[in-house]
């Protein structure tokens, strides 16, 4: 179930690096959850949650930035529909 944590924020990142830290509520099993940002009345994916770490008695969410994910798609970043992307995806290797 997708939940919302209004008011959570990015707490750390380094320009050009894939990892973003956040203080959004997260627990085991939440990996892959989107971290959304609302701009101009529309939501977009800022990052994908991948882990929760504890340091100095505080929990820290770890996420992969949306920019890093888009960069991984390279030229496929055009605004094609999901069915087009799936149809044109490479076939998995035969076993």
């Amino acid at each position: 179930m997708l939940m919302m944590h209004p008011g959570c924020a990015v707490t750390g990142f380094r320009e050009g690096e894939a990892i973003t830290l956040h203080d959004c509520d997260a627990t085991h099993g939440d990996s892959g959850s989107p971290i959304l940002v609302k701009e101009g009345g529309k939501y977009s994916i800022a990052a994908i949650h991948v882990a929760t770490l504890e340091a100095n008695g505080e929990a820290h969410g770890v996420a992969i930035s949306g920019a890093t994910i888009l960069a991984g798609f390279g030229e496929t970043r055009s605004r094609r529909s999901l069915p087009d992307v799936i149809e044109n995806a490479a076939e998995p290797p035969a076993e």
Side-chain angles (χ1 to χ4, degrees):
M1 175 186 323
L2 186 60
M3 303 293 287
M4 183 175 178
H5 178 183
C8 67
V10 169
T11 58
F13 70 95
R14 289 188 186 170
E15 191 71 33
E17 290 190 13
I19 300 298
T20 300
L21 300 178
H22 63 84
D23 66 0
C24 303
D25 289 340
T27 188
H28 296 288
D30 285 343
S31 294
S33 297
I35 297 176
L36 305 173
V37 62
K38 185 177 182 181
E39 295 178 311
K42 294 184 178 184
Y43 287 94
S44 59
I45 297 175
I48 301 293
H49 174 77
V50 296
T52 303
L53 305 175
E54 187 175 327
N56 300 323
E58 293 184 21
H60 301 275
V62 180
I64 303 297
S65 71
T68 298
I69 294 165
L70 285 175
F73 284 107
E75 294 181 19
T76 64
R77 291 188 340 182
S78 65
R79 297 196 177 258
R80 297 185 296 167
S81 69
L82 184 56
D84 287 342
V85 172
I86 293 170
E87 183 177 312
N88 294 315
E91 291 291 321
E95 291 187 28

